[in-house]
Amino acid sequence: DDPGVPWGGMGESEDQFAARIWAHMQRRKNAGAEAAAKAYNAERAKAAARRQAAESEAYQRSRKILEEELAKDRAWRDAVKQGDVGVRRARYEARWHAFVASAAAGGSGSPVAYAAVPWLSDQPGGDIEAIVFYGTSGKDEQRKRLRLELMRWHPDKFQARFVKHLAAGDRERILERVDAQTKALNALAAKQKV
């Protein structure tokens, strides 16, 4: 990189010396520019890598926050649903006991309509598992609860206890739903292997 001997020392003209010095300066300038460009590009690559790592970390944090929030939402919904099931279970039990007490007292004077029967589920074929097993812990309690419900809704036992109190126009429909509810309870028993 050394331009060599000063002008005139090698038998070169002033123009040759200037051209040689200029070429040497251009090589140094280009080498410096290349080094600066390499350094700049290396710094840009490092900055891009840092930016990509930060974006990835931010994405992971956002994803984790979203998953946590979704889990909280699911837990909240389950708690609300569980609370709703608890209310439905309590309402069912209260209606059942009122229904039995009314039948034991000889009825209230008016026959029992379809809507007055304390069904396990508001809809025929509705999900009764949550209501039946609400508040139980363990297989033994579930077995006892299911046995209780099967005794309550056994078609022959239900007819023997309540058929004379049922409204004549709703009797067939009520007994069909009792059969359907018993089948659902039996399916639940098979599913639970109780």
Side-chain angles (χ1 to χ4, degrees), residues 95 112-119 122-124 167 170 173-175 177:
R95 289 185 69 209
V112 177
Y114 179 87
V117 177
W119 304 112
D122 296 336
Q123 300 294 323
D170 284 344
R173 185 174 169 213
I174 291 171
L175 295 178
R177 176 108 184 247

Side-chain angles (χ1 to χ4, degrees), residues 28-45:
R28 284 182 67 185
K29 180 180 169 186
N30 289 343
E34 284 179 24
K38 282 182 183 177
Y40 174 75
N41 288 336
E43 189 57 38
R44 279 188 68 192

Side-chain angles (χ1 to χ4, degrees), residues 84 86-96 118 122:
D84 180 48
V87 168
R88 288 168 47 204
R89 176 72 196 181
R91 188 179 329 130
Y92 162 71
E93 283 295 331
R95 289 185 69 209
W96 177 263
D122 296 336

Side-chain angles (χ1 to χ4, degrees), residues 9-128:
M10 293 179 56
E12 58 186 4
S13 70
E14 193 176 314
D15 288 339
Q16 289 172 332
F17 176 76
R20 184 171 53 86
I21 294 296
W22 185 82
H24 174 72
M25 290 176 64
Q26 286 301 106
R27 280 192 303 274
R28 284 182 67 185
K29 180 180 169 186
N30 289 343
E34 284 179 24
K38 282 182 183 177
Y40 174 75
N41 288 336
E43 189 57 38
R44 279 188 68 192
K46 287 178 186 176
R50 284 191 303 267
R51 187 173 51 251
Q52 187 175 9
E55 287 173 358
S56 176
E57 183 181 335
Y59 173 78
Q60 293 301 326
R61 280 195 316 261
S62 295
R63 186 78 183 160
K64 183 178 178 184
I65 290 169
L66 176 63
E67 288 171 1
E68 289 170 355
E69 291 301 315
L70 288 173
K72 286 179 190 176
D73 183 61
R74 277 191 301 275
W76 177 81
R77 288 177 188 276
D78 288 345
V80 168
K81 184 178 178 184
Q82 187 72 359
D84 180 48
V85 171
V87 168
R88 288 168 47 204
R89 176 72 196 181
R91 188 179 329 130
Y92 162 71
E93 283 295 331
R95 289 185 69 209
W96 177 263
H97 291 297
F99 179 70
V100 170
S102 173
S108 60
S110 61
V112 177
Y114 179 87
V117 177
W119 304 112
L120 273 166
S121 173
D122 296 336
Q123 300 294 323
D127 180 32
I128 62 170

